Amino acid sequence: MNALGSGNAAAKVPRVSTRASDRPFLPGLPEPEWKYGDNPGQPVIRRLSELRHHASYVRLRLTVPASKLSALAEQGELAFREPLAITRERIVIDGYARWELARLKRRLVLPCVEYELTEEEAIRWLVQKHRRSNGMNDFSRILLASELEPSLKAKALSNQRFGGRMKGSSNLTEDATVDVRKEIAAAAGVSVGNVTKVKQLVGIGHPELLEALRSREVSIHRAWKWSSESPDRQIEALRTYRSERGVNKSIRDLISRHKQKRMPTAPGLGGLAKRLSELEPYESDSVRVSVIRVPGKMIFVTEELIQSLRPYQESMPICTADR
C-alpha cells in the first residue's frame, strides 16, 4: 500500500528516459522497423533542447514552409506520432517540421530514432528524406546535395590517380567532373542539367532571385535564363513576373467568383469590335488595355465595359420581290 502511494507521488514528476527499450509510440500502433542500410536505429525520447540543426541546413538557410507547418498543426497530437530521425550527436535528419511545431507548442520531449551516421551519410539521408512531394523543392535539394561535392571530388581524384591518369594532379578530368555532378543529381533526384544551372545561379544570381527559388516562386530554368542579365535586370524580370502572376490570379479569382452568376451575354469578336468603334473619343480614353500571359487566343472584357457599350442593330440585307 505504501508502494502505491509512493508510485503515485513519483508519477507527478515527469521523467525523461533515454533507454532504447522505452518505445516512444502511441498504443495500438504497429512499431515500424528503422534501418539505414545495415545501420539499425535506436528508438529513444529526447529533450527538444538537446536537438540541433544540421550545419548544412543552417548554412543554406533552409526553412520549413509555413503551409507545411500549418497542415501538420491540423493533425493535433497525431502530428507527433512519427519519430524524428537523428544522429548520435542529436542532429536532426528528418522531422524538421515536427520539431518546429513542437517548439511552437512548448513541448519538452519528442520521440526520436538515433542512427550512427557519418557526415556524408547524414547529408545523403537528409536529401533523400526531403525528396517527398511535401519536402524540399529541387533547388533546395540540389543545394543540400552539393554539400557532398568535396567528398565526391576527393573520391573521383583518388580514382583517377589509382587508374594511372593525372598522377600528382589536383584537378579533375572533364569526365570526372561530369561524374561528380551525376552523383549530386542522383542524390537530389534531379537532372544533371539542373545541377549545372543551380551551380551557375549560386555564383551570379541576385539574392532576391535565389530567395524566390527557395520559396518555389520561380522555376530553376526560368531563373537561370534571367541570371545571364545584370543584377538590376534580374530583379526587373522577377518583379514583372510577380506582377503578371498577380494579375492572372486576380483574373482567375474573378472568373471563378462569377462563373455561377448570370453574366451579360458577350458579343462575338466582330460585334465587340463594332461596339468599341462606336465609342466617343472621351469614352475610349477611359478604357485600359492590358496583356496577360494565359494559354489560348482570348479577349477578356470587364462587366462594366460590356454594359457601357451602346446596343446596335446588325444591318440586314433588304430583299425585294420580283414583280
Side-chain angles (χ1 to χ4, degrees):
M1 293 178 66
N2 291 336
L4 287 175
S6 60
N8 290 336
K12 295 179 182 179
V13 181
R15 294 186 306 154
V16 178
S17 173
T18 58
R19 291 181 301 167
S21 59
D22 293 335
R23 303 293 183 177
F25 307 104
L26 299 179
L29 290 174
E31 184 177 302
E33 295 181 2
W34 304 284
K35 210 171 184 184
Y36 180 75
D38 295 327
N39 184 353
Q42 296 295 326
V44 294
I45 295 285
R46 292 297 180 207
R47 292 183 183 275
L48 266 65
S49 58
E50 293 181 274
L51 304 177
R52 296 187 290 129
H53 289 86
H54 193 284
S56 297
Y57 195 95
V58 176
R59 183 166 53 253
L60 298 173
R61 295 191 297 164
L62 303 176
T63 58
V64 177
S67 57
K68 183 176 181 179
L69 204 59
S70 177
L72 193 64
E74 292 177 1
Q75 298 180 26
E77 283 301 306
L78 289 178
F80 305 108
R81 176 180 60 183
E82 186 179 352
L84 275 64
I86 63 175
T87 68
R88 300 289 188 205
E89 291 74 30
R90 315 293 193 265
I91 295 172
V92 176
I93 300 301
D94 185 38
Y96 277 90
R98 279 166 277 152
W99 182 26
E100 182 66 25
L101 182 62
R103 289 196 293 184
L104 291 173
K105 290 185 173 292
R106 300 181 183 277
R107 295 175 71 100
L108 296 178
V109 297
L110 276 178
C112 302
V113 179
E114 282 186 353
Y115 296 88
E116 188 69 46
L117 299 172
T118 66
E119 180 70 15
E120 182 174 337
E121 287 174 335
I123 294 176
R124 283 185 180 275
W125 200 9
L126 185 57
V127 175
Q128 182 183 1
K129 285 293 185 179
H130 286 86
R131 285 173 61 171
R132 298 168 296 203
S133 59
N134 63 343
M136 297 177 189
N137 61 10
D138 289 358
F139 177 74
S140 296
R141 289 202 315 276
I142 291 171
L143 288 182
L144 196 53
S146 295
E147 297 283 288
L148 297 168
E149 188 169 3
S151 62
L152 292 174
K153 281 185 174 180
K155 289 179 182 178
L157 192 58
S158 176
N159 290 338
Q160 280 184 180
R161 290 170 178 167
F162 182 77
R165 295 179 299 163
M166 311 292 289
K167 285 188 175 180
S169 173
S170 60
N171 296 320
L172 291 176
T173 63
E174 185 176 346
D175 288 344
T177 300
V178 171
D179 286 342
V180 167
R181 291 191 183 178
K182 282 182 180 178
E183 288 266 6
I184 293 172
V190 299
S191 67
V192 176
N194 271 351
V195 172
T196 301
K197 289 174 183 177
V198 168
K199 193 174 182 67
Q200 293 173 4
L201 275 163
V202 170
I204 60 177
H206 190 282
E208 190 173 341
L209 182 57
L210 299 183
E211 283 301 317
L213 280 161
R214 283 189 181 90
S215 64
R216 305 172 188 259
E217 201 175 349
V218 295
S219 68
I220 292 173
H221 182 66
R222 188 185 297 276
W224 175 73
K225 289 198 299 184
W226 292 342
S227 67
S228 61
E229 304 286 347
S230 67
D232 289 343
R233 292 295 297 273
Q234 290 179 33
I235 294 307
E236 182 183 346
L238 176 60
R239 290 173 182 170
T240 300
Y241 176 73
R242 284 170 171 166
S243 177
E244 289 177 352
R245 286 190 65 189
V247 170
N248 291 345
K249 184 178 184 303
S250 297
I251 290 171
R252 288 194 299 270
D253 291 345
L254 286 170
I255 292 173
S256 175
R257 196 181 310 154
H258 292 94
K259 65 181 179 182
Q260 300 298 331
K261 296 182 180 180
R262 188 173 186 131
M263 299 291 289
T265 302
L269 181 59
L272 177 63
K274 185 172 182 180
R275 290 195 185 191
L276 290 172
S277 68
E278 293 176 348
L279 290 174
E280 297 294 337
Y282 72 91
E283 292 177 309
S284 60
D285 289 343
S286 65
V287 178
R288 293 190 302 167
V289 179
S290 298
V291 177
I292 59 173
R293 188 172 296 171
V294 294
K297 297 179 179 179
M298 292 177 284
I299 295 178
F300 294 96
V301 182
T302 64
E303 185 177 5
E304 182 181 349
L305 175 59
I306 204 74
Q307 289 178 343
S308 68
L309 299 176
R310 288 184 291 279
Y312 65 93
Q313 296 293 329
E314 293 284 355
S315 56
M316 300 293 293
I318 301 174
C319 299
T320 56
D322 291 334
R323 300 195 178 201

